[in-house]
Amino acid sequence: MNLFTFRGGVHPPESKELTEEKPIRFMPLPQEVKIYLANHGGAPAKRVVKEGDTVKTGQKIGEQAGMISANVHASLTGTVVGVEKVFHPVLQKPSEVVVIRRETEKDEWEYINPHGDFNRFKAPEIVDIIKEAGIVGLGGAMFPTHVKLTPPEGKKIDLLIVNGAECEPYLTIDHRLMLERTEDIVKGIRILMYVLDVEKAYVGIENNKLDAYEAMMRATAGEPIKVKLLRTKYPQGAEKQLIYALTKRVVPSGGLPLHVGVVVQNVGTVLAVYEAVEKGKPLVERGLTVTGEAVSNPSNLVVRVGTMVSEVLEFVGGLKGKVDRVILGGPMMGIAIPDLNIPVMKGTSGIVALPPERKGKVETKPCIRCSRCVMACPMNLQPYLLEQLARARRYDEAVEEGLMDCIECGSCSYICPSKIDHVKSIKLAKKVYRALRGGARK
Amino acid sequence: MKLSVTAAPHIRDGDNVRSIMFDVLIALSPAVIAATYFFGWRALILSIVSIFIAEGIELFIMKVLRKQKDFKPDFSASVTGLLLALNVNVGLPIWVLVVGLIAALTLGKHVYGGIGKNPFNPALVGRVFLLISFPSLMTTWWAPRYWNLDTLTTATPLAVVKEQGFGALNVGYLDLFLGNIGGCMGEVSALALLIGFAYLVMRRRIKLLIPISYIGTVLLISSIFWMIDVERYGTPLFHILAGGLMLGALFMATDMVTSPITPKGQMIFGVGCGVITMMIRYFGGYPEGVSFSILIMNSVVPLIDMYTKPRIFGKHVVGKG
């Protein structure tokens, strides 16, 4: 069979067997949730509740503030017991959370109105529902979805790509969603195609999820939705690589998918769109994979946004053996958290607990110019060189060599025999460069 | 609970510098076995002693001179040690070899800052240092299986052809292929080197384009000159099997530290090595030019890297904004 792919990349052990055959379970409601008002990047939502307010599930507690921002909703029915600051793993600093405590067993919902059969609405009305529901990219980036669905004047979108690659090792939630919520995801695709006014959509799935591929094939038979099989290779699900693999379109340097007429949405996001538009449900819960060799009973779960990582781990039987690191997201791009008292965010696609044997941190040796990083880089960069320039603070030269084109996928650091932290240096250099340039884009 | 907070990616490939170097040692072991077969136990002893002395020198440099108390050997000095031993004739006194090792690890490696920083292949720096310092010792060749012979030494096939013409060559292609010829102890057996090389290829531990373009260039040039005058220039197969080409192309030019990063650069590097090798063999003062050609090409690696940068994905398309 013809497999779609890109140049470069790496093949880390998949480690998906821990959870890929486990059906998604609903985690019982926690007693308390802590909900961040800030997503990654963009402006934090403006809080619209105060201590002592009673809230229903789905009631808005944070109002979108600015263009790149998203509404935030209560994920429990209960009382706002406080507003505090909790370490935000993406922003890497304390950030405001709304603490909601549940007093009864009730889970009363406040739905978005109007909602229902999408054919009843015009495209902008659906975008409004999505905006109202506070939907952001659930693959991890947490970029507000309604912004992606409103291309600037004059930009014509002709293709929707649904990202079912799930190339991160360990994670299986997208896989399970495609198997268990097939119909609803397809409905979500139809809604997005309608909104974007596109004739066709592609669904990209890696060939380590053949059952999901077949399920999606069956569910989309006879429709202009083409399900395409991708080669299992990391980072197959990175936006630019996915677009290239499926269409051979090259997103220009510094550009966005919309510059080549494409909008990419993760399968989880597509499902959230369906739930918002047809069921009126704001984004207050999400699917995630709780896994890793240090988790007693690795599982695929649906949990309420704001549930503590510690409680999620407890629900799956806790940790076992020695634990070295707990990662939010996948092990390639996820973030290691300093402790377990951190709530699940909208973008938390997984909680991965790794034992010390799965060594991440190892002694760094000098570069031996083996060229593996260059061969692995999906953006055709020279990571070894960028790392050296970044460390020498030669930022302008690093930018010349494509510093800002790095997608931070971590393939270089993964494959490096000298265990050099290219991505860490590159991320830092990007930040410094942006600061030095006053945020102006090159 | 104490959790470590490390930067992504949180999982790493199992390979490390030490495992790569160890694989190179394994890949060189058939050459050591062949050397022992043709040149006796002395070959084996020289190889092993050279490895240990090289590691000793590296340890001294790192711990005493560079004051890195927690330094642990990464086997890169072992590779240098073994390669240098394989690049001398079996009759070389051990003390001379030690001088070569010191030159290799100081002038060839640590003056530049140690592993990864050296522009030249350290073993070749050591070899050329010895060639200049001890010219007669370095160009006296004990004959294969000398214990069965009346005379201890012999001439290398390349020297025979250079001085007396192709017709004077007294060894066949099979001898050249198996290693039944005079020469450096590790270079004689093309077969043994190819076996080791196959192992490295299997383990994906090698910049494959370098030996392909290097040997391919030698093949091309020697074919042209073969048609011009076979008596004077020899045959293509002869040039591929004789001298240090196999050892150089498969194990020295492919040294990761001192060769280009990109595939295109590696091709240019290999072609350059091939051209210079053949020019020295045909027109130079020495019968063999592998060492010099690799060192010369080593010196232009930064230049090659600069001109063969990969094309950044998305950099050359228009349509943004």
Side-chain angles (χ1 to χ4, degrees):
Chain A
M1 190 179 304
N2 188 15
L3 290 177
F4 296 91
T5 195
F6 62 98
R7 193 214 71 95
V10 291
H11 295 275
E14 291 172 33
S15 310
K16 291 181 189 276
E17 63 286 346
L18 292 170
T19 50
E20 67 190 347
E21 289 182 355
K22 297 196 175 168
I24 302 169
R25 292 183 290 157
F26 278 83
M27 180 175 160
L29 301 184
Q31 280 308 313
E32 191 181 276
V33 288
K34 294 184 177 178
I35 303 168
Y36 288 116
L37 291 167
N39 291 306
H40 175 44
K46 196 170 138 279
R47 182 164 50 83
V48 294
V49 289
K50 57 182 187 307
E51 201 176 325
D53 287 1
T54 56
V55 290
K56 289 184 184 172
T57 309
Q59 183 180 332
K60 200 190 293 178
I61 58 171
E63 177 94 46
Q64 163 189 356
M67 254 302 283
I68 313 294
S69 182
N71 289 336
V72 177
H73 303 80
S75 57
L76 285 182
T77 304
T79 311
V80 176
V81 293
V83 176
E84 55 187 75
K85 287 206 162 184
V86 175
F87 181 76
H88 192 304
V90 179
L91 304 177
Q92 290 285 309
K93 62 183 181 195
S95 178
E96 199 170 80
V97 294
V98 174
V99 188
I100 299 169
R101 193 168 294 154
R102 190 161 62 95
E103 268 112 26
T104 63
E105 288 305 305
K106 272 193 299 190
D107 187 30
E108 272 182 64
W109 281 69
E110 188 174 308
Y111 294 104
I112 299 163
N113 270 314
H115 67 262
D117 184 8
F118 75 89
N119 286 312
R120 281 171 41 204
F121 303 109
K122 292 201 179 69
E125 292 169 336
I126 296 180
V127 173
D128 279 341
I129 296 175
I130 291 168
K131 183 155 111 182
E132 197 53 39
I135 296 173
V136 297
L138 297 190
M142 294 194 273
F143 189 82
T145 301
H146 66 265
V147 181
K148 265 191 175 181
L149 296 177
T150 345
E153 263 330 291
K155 282 277 172 285
K156 179 71 191 113
I157 303 297
D158 68 347
L159 176 67
L160 166 71
I161 291 181
V162 176
N163 188 353
E166 199 163 52
C167 58
E168 273 276 6
Y170 287 93
L171 304 189
T172 58
I173 187 65
D174 289 352
H175 181 183
R176 293 309 308 182
L177 286 175
M178 286 189 284
L179 274 180
E180 298 177 33
R181 304 290 304 273
T182 323
E183 284 303 326
D184 295 341
I185 290 171
V186 173
K187 282 179 193 160
I189 297 173
R190 288 187 201 122
I191 296 172
L192 289 171
M193 288 172 72
Y194 176 73
V195 171
L196 291 166
D197 188 25
V198 295
E199 300 290 316
K200 59 182 177 179
Y202 291 161
V203 183
I205 301 174
E206 279 191 348
N207 66 341
N208 58 359
K209 297 179 264 291
L210 285 174
D211 49 356
Y213 169 74
E214 279 156 19
M216 291 296 291
M217 280 291 262
R218 274 195 302 273
T220 56
E223 286 189 64
I225 302 171
K226 295 275 166 290
V227 185
K228 301 204 170 200
L229 209 53
L230 301 160
R231 173 162 294 143
T232 301
K233 183 168 75 168
Y234 181 87
Q236 191 66 260
E239 236 172 26
K240 292 177 179 182
Q241 280 60 39
L242 183 67
I243 293 170
Y244 179 78
L246 294 177
T247 67
K248 297 283 168 269
R249 296 184 199 177
V250 176
V251 177
S253 170
L256 294 169
L258 66 87
H259 293 122
V260 291
V262 179
V263 165
V264 181
Q265 297 288 357
N266 163 272
V267 290
T269 316
V270 173
L271 185 60
V273 165
Y274 160 78
E275 300 240 287
V277 176
E278 304 241 322
K279 306 282 176 202
K281 287 166 98 173
L283 183 59
V284 297
E285 58 186 8
R286 67 155 298 148
L288 52 77
T289 305
V290 191
T291 183
E293 285 80 359
V295 169
S296 297
N297 179 21
S299 309
N300 295 300
L301 301 177
V302 170
V303 304
R304 291 287 161 97
V305 171
T307 308
M308 286 292 156
V309 168
S310 55
E311 284 182 56
V312 178
L313 286 168
E314 244 162 65
F315 174 68
V316 297
L319 296 167
K320 64 170 184 195
K322 277 198 166 163
V323 185
D324 182 54
R325 284 154 298 147
V326 174
I327 295 145
L328 295 190
M332 292 298 285
M333 287 186 78
I335 300 157
I337 51 176
D339 63 71
L340 302 179
N341 297 317
I342 284 175
V344 168
M345 297 170 290
K346 287 181 179 179
T348 308
S349 50
I351 299 171
V352 186
L354 297 176
E357 302 91 79
R358 303 289 278 129
K359 260 286 184 227
K361 197 165 119 192
V362 259
E363 202 191 343
T364 300
K365 299 270 185 194
C367 170
I368 56 167
R369 294 172 49 84
C370 68
S371 80
R372 288 181 190 184
C373 58
V374 176
M375 302 316 286
C377 180
M379 293 302 291
N380 270 4
L381 302 170
Q382 302 190 75
Y384 85 101
L385 183 63
L386 291 177
E387 194 270 343
Q388 286 167 5
L389 291 172
R391 229 165 358 101
R393 302 184 198 172
R394 288 154 67 180
Y395 300 120
D396 283 328
E397 283 163 84
V399 169
E400 282 295 302
E401 300 293 344
L403 179 75
M404 305 315 260
D405 289 287
C406 172
I407 59 168
E408 303 170 13
C409 68
S411 297
C412 47
S413 303
Y414 170 79
I415 204 74
C416 179
S418 294
K419 315 300 170 196
I420 293 167
D421 282 315
H422 310 80
V423 184
K424 192 171 155 191
S425 304
I426 289 172
K427 276 187 194 167
L428 182 67
K430 277 180 165 182
K431 261 187 207 159
V432 175
Y433 181 77
R434 286 207 183 102
L436 290 176
R437 294 269 148 173
R441 274 217 67 100
K442 187 184 163 286
Chain B
M1 179 168 29
K2 178 116 178 61
L3 296 173
S4 3
V5 184
T6 50
H10 303 280
I11 51 175
R12 301 290 183 114
D13 187 52
D15 263 6
N16 53 46
V17 176
R18 192 180 286 199
S19 66
I20 290 176
M21 295 299 167
F22 194 70
D23 265 345
V24 176
L25 291 177
I26 292 176
L28 284 169
S29 57
V32 175
I33 294 168
T36 310
Y37 176 78
F38 288 113
F39 299 115
W41 292 109
R42 192 181 156 80
L44 183 65
I45 293 164
L46 272 186
S47 302
I48 294 172
V49 165
S50 189
I51 289 175
F52 280 96
I53 292 177
E55 283 295 348
I57 295 168
E58 170 122 321
L59 217 58
F60 177 79
I61 292 173
M62 290 304 282
K63 292 213 177 214
V64 179
L65 301 182
R66 299 184 61 189
K67 304 195 189 333
Q68 302 201 357
K69 295 280 180 272
D70 54 352
F71 171 77
K72 288 191 196 70
D74 54 21
F75 298 151
S76 63
S78 302
V79 171
T80 301
L82 183 54
L83 278 175
L84 184 61
L86 294 177
N87 265 292
V88 300
N89 71 79
V90 72
L92 196 74
I94 285 189
W95 72 268
V96 178
L97 184 62
V98 173
V99 171
L101 288 171
I102 293 171
L105 290 164
T106 55
L107 298 179
K109 184 174 180 183
H110 284 283
V111 292
Y112 299 105
I115 185 168
K117 311 285 198 312
N118 50 300
F120 300 104
N121 185 316
L124 285 179
V125 171
R127 175 163 201 263
V128 169
F129 184 89
L130 291 181
L131 201 59
I132 297 165
S133 314
F134 306 94
S136 79
L137 278 176
M138 284 294 287
T139 50
T140 307
W141 312 99
W142 289 17
R145 313 201 65 77
Y146 53 85
W147 51 89
N148 293 331
L149 304 174
D150 302 330
T151 50
L152 181 65
T153 61
T154 184
T156 66
L158 278 172
V160 170
V161 171
K162 183 139 195 157
E163 281 148 27
Q164 302 162 47
F166 194 63
L169 193 64
N170 53 356
V171 291
Y173 287 122
L174 191 64
D175 291 323
L176 283 164
F177 181 65
L178 296 177
N180 193 20
I181 49 172
C184 297
M185 49 193 240
E187 75 183 17
V188 291
S189 176
L191 174 65
L193 291 166
L194 284 169
I195 292 171
F197 180 70
Y199 173 76
L200 282 190
V201 172
M202 210 179 67
R203 302 272 292 161
R204 296 169 180 273
R205 291 271 154 89
I206 198 106
K207 291 174 175 172
L208 196 56
L209 284 174
I210 294 173
I212 291 173
S213 56
Y214 191 168
I215 295 172
T217 304
V218 168
L219 180 69
L220 185 72
I221 295 177
S222 56
S223 299
I224 295 168
F225 281 82
W226 171 46
M227 284 183 274
I228 295 171
D229 184 350
V230 61
E231 175 60 18
R232 188 161 161 208
Y233 298 120
T235 64
L237 191 57
F238 168 76
H239 277 288
I240 286 170
L241 295 176
L245 182 70
M246 282 289 173
L247 181 60
L250 303 185
F251 289 99
M252 316 280 279
T254 51
D255 172 31
M256 292 170 175
V257 174
T258 56
S259 57
I261 286 281
T262 63
K264 209 201 273 172
Q266 289 159 19
M267 293 280 285
I268 295 169
F269 182 82
V271 171
C273 286
V275 170
I276 298 170
T277 299
M278 294 317 286
M279 291 305 111
I280 293 174
R281 280 186 180 181
Y282 288 148
F283 312 114
Y286 289 89
E288 174 60 304
V290 167
S291 300
F292 294 114
S293 74
I294 297 172
L295 285 172
I296 291 168
M297 288 312 289
N298 282 163
S299 71
V300 293
V301 164
L303 209 61
I304 295 176
D305 277 347
M306 202 171 86
Y307 283 107
T308 57
K309 285 176 188 166
R311 217 168 88 160
I312 297 170
F313 185 85
K315 204 74 168 183
H316 301 268
V317 289
V318 284
K320 186 203 158 187

